Amino acid sequence: MISSPTKNLKTRVGQDSLVPWLFSLPAILMLLAFLVAPFVLAIVFSFTNLRLLSPIPLRFVGLQNYVRVFQDPIFYRALGNNLLFVVIVVPVQTALALALAVLVNQKLRGVRVFRTIYFAPVVTVMAVAATVWRLLYDPDAGFINGLLGAVSGGAVHPNWLRSTSTAFLAIIIMSIWQGVGFQMVILLAGLQDIPHDHYEAAIVDGASGWQQFRFVTIPQLRNQLLFVVTITTILAFRLFDQVYVMTSGGPLDSTQTLMLMLVDVGFGRQRIAQGSAIAVIFFLIVLSISVAQRRLIREETT
Amino acid sequence: MSPMSVVTLARSEPRSGQITVIQPRRLPRVLGALATYVGMTLLAVMFLVPLLFEFIGSIKPNDRVLSEGNSWRAFIPTAITFVNYGDALARADLAHLFINSMIITSSIVVAGIVVNSLFGYALARMTFRGRGLLIGVVIALIIIPFQAIAVPLFFMMAKIEVLDTYQVQIVPFIASPFFTYLFYTFFLSIPKELEEAARVDGAGPLTIFWRVVVPLARPVYATVAILSFLFAWGELLWPVLVTRGPEVRPLPLGIAVFQTLPPVQWGDIMAFATVMTLPLLVVFLAFQDAFVRSVARTGIKG
């Protein structure tokens, strides 16, 4: 019964073979022009001496751009910061998001209000959040030091964004504030998909609250957790907006990131070729993270 | 891991230390709920502080934003004024930037919905040569982050001399492999019978799409509209590259620039931030469930 209309539909549409292409062509052309072409160009450019405006004739320079990038101390500062962001934000933010998701998944009155509040930072634009936090972090006029001072009797007084030792930490804290609601929602959707009888079976067997969480919730959330960890890791390497607004990479390059370096080299100094090399390196990092995630998911399903 | 094996895992837990108390334990339960509320409220305060600080700061005289910023008075409107909004309108050309952002964002959302859903529909429902390959390519393209192509795309746009225009901020963001994929998977999930019935009645492909498919697919349209609005409204990296003057500058770059212009008036900056935050927050509160569902849906990708 189902198969005959399906077949009918397909043959009918297949006959006027122009229609599928009319539906597809706008997207295909734009994807080719604005995604595939610049992606291929990024690879090609990265082996040339291309600049935005240059009297020097274009030629291939082999791996020279990559060598330059790998010899640049700022590259290691940037990459180190991106990795530090991964190492701190991925576990902390995921754990916090899971805790929030479990909290707002309870059948308690008014729980929706809390879900709304935890999610609200996600709908604030990152550039705006970074602006507000810049003032919150002000060593003298900011609320954060006001609170720390009141609690510690004036003993704790970090310079936050103005100090090389705390600037990146400050960016990490505000990034978690802004991003955790996003993960919470994804994990919450996963929590709500767990069949209730799993918990009932565990309760019958006398599993404690923690054991239910450890042996029912966590395994059932595996794919959502994997997704959240992957997307957060990728976002960590894309880190740009909040750093651009709050510190522009300073003080003394202590908050440099790959994306700031990309913009500085490719746009600020107009070295298209070297910027493209950074873009290719960035892409390879993202690609390997995605491949690792897909492997892990496939492992689970087989 | 299958649901069955989870249950078995929970069952295999050692039970020796467990004491099953099924007696009603009213008091602990009430205390537990109370502790949960206290915890959730404390967290909520942490999430609300920056937003509250922003709103209150925007309606305070400039000097008070700084002088009261480090105490609890930062959250009390000790003196109310709307002068900051007038100043932000005048000094930052806020209305102009707002219109720029609206033009850019709404164009991306509307054109993107049309282009990506047509493509997704062709991939899901029509038979044509190369369809399987196209689906594979679209999925592969999801991995390429915009940041990896930004520099060569900037070079291309500079060469065809479209920098400092609306188009350069709109057209590259219309076609999206991720949104196409969301549409594609949703269209696959709706039953074909209605489309077939319309076809029997003599309706053409476009009529079927518009009259039958689009109404059935409202949830995915809402999802893509919300997500693409959030992405486009907050975009900062691309306008940093392709806009120089304030003529076509969008809000996120606007606020980044405004806070560096002397004299730095934090009340004005908070008014600017509020203008960027409030409309989105209101729309979010009105369509909360759709927002939350949309973000949760990004998790399906894995």
Side-chain angles (χ1 to χ4, degrees):
Chain A
M1 248 182 81
I2 294 168
S3 74
S4 75
T6 310
K7 202 176 169 191
N8 200 351
L9 182 80
K10 280 190 175 169
T11 44
R12 275 295 305 269
V13 178
Q15 276 165 5
D16 30 344
S17 57
L18 208 59
V19 172
W21 290 105
L22 288 177
F23 273 59
S24 308
L25 225 47
I28 292 177
L29 289 179
M30 280 195 258
L31 287 176
L32 281 176
F34 303 112
L35 188 54
V36 177
F39 180 68
V40 173
L41 285 179
I43 299 166
V44 175
F45 286 169
S46 73
F47 297 105
T48 69
N49 64 345
L50 185 68
R51 284 161 180 257
L52 188 61
L53 303 160
S54 170
I56 310 163
L58 184 72
R59 60 186 177 84
F60 281 89
V61 295
L63 289 170
Q64 195 181 305
N65 290 311
Y66 292 93
V67 173
R68 278 230 184 103
V69 171
F70 286 125
Q71 281 173 345
D72 189 344
I74 292 183
F75 172 72
Y76 295 98
R77 183 64 68 81
L79 191 65
N81 277 338
N82 285 122
L83 288 170
L84 183 66
F85 197 91
V86 173
V87 168
I88 296 178
V89 173
V90 169
V92 172
Q93 192 172 319
T94 309
L96 188 59
L98 186 57
L100 292 178
V102 169
L103 275 177
V104 299
N105 193 36
Q106 295 174 100
K107 288 191 182 67
L108 288 173
R109 194 171 293 180
V111 90
R112 253 175 71 97
V113 177
F114 291 101
R115 187 194 72 177
T116 307
I117 292 171
Y118 303 151
F119 189 75
V122 179
V123 291
T124 60
V125 171
M126 186 55 101
V128 172
T131 305
V132 175
W133 279 76
R134 247 189 84 207
L135 185 51
L136 288 174
Y137 277 130
D138 188 284
D140 304 310
F143 180 71
I144 292 174
N145 269 10
L147 187 68
L148 284 178
V151 172
S152 70
V156 186
H157 191 85
N159 270 323
W160 292 117
L161 296 169
R162 297 187 199 159
S163 154
T164 53
S165 56
T166 48
F168 199 66
L169 178 70
I171 286 167
I172 284 177
I173 293 171
M174 83 74 54
S175 303
I176 292 175
W177 172 83
Q178 203 269 348
V180 71
F182 184 91
Q183 300 186 329
M184 173 194 77
V185 161
I186 290 171
L187 295 176
L188 183 62
L191 281 178
Q192 288 168 349
D193 279 348
I194 301 176
H196 204 73
D197 51 359
H198 287 21
Y199 288 107
E200 278 161 13
I203 291 167
V204 166
D205 290 327
S208 65
W210 168 253
Q211 284 170 328
Q212 291 171 41
F213 179 75
R214 171 69 189 82
F215 295 106
V216 181
T217 310
I218 295 287
Q220 290 284 308
L221 275 186
R222 190 180 187 276
N223 275 354
Q224 280 85 1
L225 283 169
L226 215 55
F227 173 78
V228 158
V229 165
T230 313
I231 196 93
T232 314
T233 311
I234 290 173
L235 287 176
F237 285 99
R238 285 197 207 167
L239 188 61
F240 176 77
D241 293 14
Q242 54 270 59
V243 190
Y244 180 83
V245 171
M246 294 169 95
T247 64
S248 318
L252 295 170
D253 287 323
S254 62
T255 56
Q256 270 293 342
T257 69
L258 278 183
M259 282 307 114
L260 278 181
M261 195 186 173
L262 177 97
V263 171
D264 178 49
V265 171
F267 170 72
R269 286 186 263 164
Q270 309 202 332
R271 293 183 184 164
I272 301 295
Q274 206 179 322
S276 298
I278 298 171
V280 170
I281 295 168
F282 163 71
F283 173 72
L284 291 176
I285 293 171
V286 170
L287 180 70
S288 47
I289 298 164
S290 300
V291 169
Q293 182 214 16
R294 286 187 188 186
R295 281 259 168 85
L296 282 169
I297 283 189
R298 207 166 298 152
E299 243 170 53
E300 195 255 357
T301 43
T302 47
Chain B
M1 194 179 285
S2 74
M4 261 321 286
S5 59
V6 175
V7 178
T8 342
L9 200 65
R11 287 226 169 102
S12 64
E13 269 304 284
R15 286 209 247 167
S16 49
Q18 299 283 326
I19 306 160
T20 345
V21 187
I22 316 175
Q23 286 159 9
R25 292 183 298 174
R26 273 274 167 79
L27 190 65
R29 197 173 302 159
V30 171
L31 284 179
L34 196 68
T36 311
Y37 277 120
V38 171
M40 287 200 296
T41 307
L42 283 176
L43 283 163
V45 168
M46 282 165 62
F47 279 84
L48 283 178
V49 156
L51 295 173
L52 214 58
F53 181 71
E54 176 189 330
F55 300 146
I56 303 292
S58 75
I59 53 167
K60 263 187 192 182
N62 273 302
D63 52 331
R64 290 205 183 205
V65 179
L66 277 187
S67 65
E68 298 175 344
N70 59 3
S71 77
W72 54 270
R73 279 193 297 276
F75 306 98
I76 312 288
T78 50
I80 295 181
T81 171
F82 293 98
V83 142
N84 298 337
Y85 285 87
D87 287 351
L89 281 170
R91 288 181 56 225
D93 207 0
L94 187 49
H96 181 84
L97 300 177
F98 196 89
I99 293 168
N100 286 346
S101 269
M102 282 309 293
I103 291 173
I104 295 162
T105 306
S106 53
S107 306
I108 292 173
V109 172
V110 172
I113 275 182
V114 174
V115 166
N116 295 313
S117 71
L118 283 174
F119 190 26
Y121 183 68
L123 292 177
R125 280 294 200 264
M126 297 176 177
T127 34
F128 56 103
R129 196 174 296 204
R131 175 175 161 269
L133 178 72
L134 276 177
I135 294 170
V137 170
V138 165
I139 292 171
L141 289 179
I142 293 175
I143 287 182
I144 302 178
F146 175 74
Q147 290 82 350
I149 60 162
V151 168
L153 189 64
F154 158 66
F155 179 79
M156 287 165 62
M157 298 300 110
K159 282 293 141 186
I160 60 170
E161 295 182 352
V162 291
L163 299 185
D164 287 310
T165 61
Y166 288 127
Q167 305 90 283
V168 76
Q169 299 180 75
I170 295 168
V171 184
F173 294 96
I174 293 174
S176 151
F178 178 54
F179 291 149
T180 298
Y181 182 73
L182 284 185
F183 279 118
Y184 162 75
T185 48
F186 195 91
F187 291 144
L188 280 183
S189 74
I190 54 182
K192 286 175 188 159
E193 281 70 19
L194 284 169
E195 291 159 68
E196 182 51 32
R199 193 178 308 285
V200 171
D201 290 344
L206 213 55
T207 314
I208 294 174
F209 181 70
W210 182 243
R211 289 275 162 80
V212 180
V213 177
V214 173
L216 282 175
R218 277 209 196 106
V220 72
Y221 278 93
T223 295
V224 172
I226 288 168
L227 290 177
S228 80
F229 189 95
L230 281 179
F231 295 156
W233 187 255
E235 178 64 34
L236 177 65
L237 178 84
W238 187 238
V240 165
L241 301 185
V242 296
T243 69
R244 265 139 251 221
E247 290 78 24
V248 293
R249 181 183 288 159
L251 287 166
L253 184 55
I255 198 169
V257 172
F258 184 53
Q259 61 194 282
T260 64
L261 292 180
V264 175
Q265 303 279 25
W266 277 101
D268 300 1
I269 297 169
M270 292 302 150
F272 193 133
T274 303
V275 168
M276 279 184 79
T277 310
L278 224 46
L280 217 58
L281 218 52
V282 169
V283 175
F284 161 61
L285 289 176
F287 302 102
Q288 221 200 113
D289 291 325
F291 267 73
V292 169
R293 223 177 301 122
S294 302
V295 168
R297 200 164 283 177
T298 61
I300 298 169
K301 195 159 74 127

